[in-house]
Amino acid sequence: MPNHTLYSQGPYAPVAFELNELSHSQIRYENFRALYRLHPHLQLGGISYGWLSAALEAMAKIAELTLTLPIHIISAQEDTIVNSKSHPCITARWPNTSVHSVPNAKHELLFEQDVIRTEVMTQFYSFAATVCSADTGS
């Protein structure tokens, strides 16, 4: 299947910081843009038919799973790329799942302002501490 983008989607196009949907951190956004300028092969544009096909196939497989391992989802309240309203559906399906919604955060949580990154990393390390075994050190 050709990897053409879906209707109304297109290749990567630079967006000014003031209009970006990824981060509130101007320096991290500018670093991301600089990386894309230096390495154009990393640039992500709109959704392709190939990406959509793979995503739908993965979702069908995931729907069949019975997961018992702990899962912690950290979602951005201001995300306009991923619909975080679907996250409670995941917790309903798999009872060992929890969700933490980060206020004032956009899509790229680890590219965000320090206060948001700190909250995300605190959530991560707190969750990791609950699933790591003290006996093995892992």
Side-chain angles (χ1 to χ4, degrees):
M1 176 180 301
N3 219 16
H4 300 293
T5 57
L6 295 172
Y7 178 73
S8 82
Q9 302 279 308
Y12 170 75
V15 176
F17 173 73
E18 297 76 23
L19 302 175
N20 93 85
E21 298 178 88
L22 300 176
S23 175
H24 289 98
S25 171
Q26 187 164 0
I27 188 71
R28 289 189 178 104
Y29 184 73
E30 289 170 1
N31 287 340
F32 150 76
R33 294 274 309 276
L35 182 68
Y36 267 25
R37 279 191 300 279
L38 287 172
H39 304 282
H41 62 281
L42 298 176
Q43 296 175 357
L44 297 175
I47 296 170
S48 68
Y49 287 103
W51 184 93
L52 180 61
S53 175
L56 292 173
E57 184 178 324
M59 287 169 49
K61 289 178 182 176
I62 289 168
E64 297 172 4
L65 294 175
T66 302
L67 296 177
T68 56
L69 64 134
I71 299 169
H72 186 61
I73 299 169
I74 304 173
S75 66
Q77 276 187 3
E78 293 183 15
D79 199 333
T80 57
I81 297 168
V82 171
N83 181 358
S84 59
K85 292 180 181 154
S86 67
H87 295 163
C89 297
I90 296 168
T91 61
R93 172 125 171 81
W94 296 308
N96 245 358
T97 304
S98 57
V99 177
H100 177 76
S101 185
V102 182
N104 306 313
K106 290 186 179 182
H107 182 71
E108 292 290 352
L109 290 167
L110 296 178
F111 280 21
E112 266 292 5
Q113 296 172 334
D114 288 346
V115 66
I116 293 170
R117 285 170 46 107
T118 298
E119 181 175 346
V120 169
M121 294 310 296
T122 299
Q123 282 286 315
F124 170 77
Y125 287 120
S126 295
F127 173 71
T130 68
V131 296
C132 293
S133 171
D135 295 339
T136 63
S138 62

